[in-house]
Amino acid sequence: MGNYEKAIEAYDFSIVLVDDFEHAYFNKANALSNNNQYEEAIENYEHYIEFEKENDDAFCYMGECYLNLDKYDDALKFYRKSNSSE
């Protein structure tokens, strides 16, 4: 629906209730990224990766965030990491 601010608020609330609910961090990161809040999105993907150490989707999405921040070396690093399991 495109209401990313409300989604971020809802994920924040769920994280307060259950601080180890890893999918809330992942989904919050997605909402932040869709809202062009790339640095905050990266922080949440990193927190998610603490729970799910080898999630290719998270690494790829982190690469996309870095790409949008014009941090091309970091973007390439995470794109490669997302493809490392092949």
Side-chain angles (χ1 to χ4, degrees):
M1 294 175 59
N3 197 342
Y4 302 117
E5 291 296 329
K6 289 283 187 186
I8 294 164
E9 184 179 321
Y11 291 124
D12 280 337
F13 183 72
S14 66
I15 290 167
V16 168
L17 293 175
V18 183
D19 68 342
D20 63 348
F21 183 34
E22 69 268 13
H23 295 293
Y25 291 102
F26 183 82
N27 291 324
K28 180 182 175 187
N30 286 340
L32 287 162
S33 180
N34 286 325
N35 204 39
N36 301 320
Q37 295 174 258
Y38 303 116
E39 291 177 1
E40 295 93 340
I42 290 167
E43 290 173 14
N44 280 272
Y45 285 126
E46 287 173 343
H47 200 78
Y48 171 75
I49 288 171
E50 291 175 16
F51 299 102
E52 296 287 330
K53 305 264 189 256
E54 298 298 323
N55 188 290
D56 293 340
D57 290 334
F59 294 137
C60 185
Y61 295 151
M62 285 177 72
E64 183 177 343
C65 287
Y66 281 115
L67 182 66
N68 286 312
L69 291 169
D70 297 326
K71 295 182 177 181
Y72 303 113
D73 290 338
D74 290 326
L76 183 59
K77 178 177 91 172
F78 280 97
Y79 283 136
R80 284 184 174 153
K81 194 168 188 172
S82 74
N83 197 26
S84 66
S85 64
E86 292 184 8

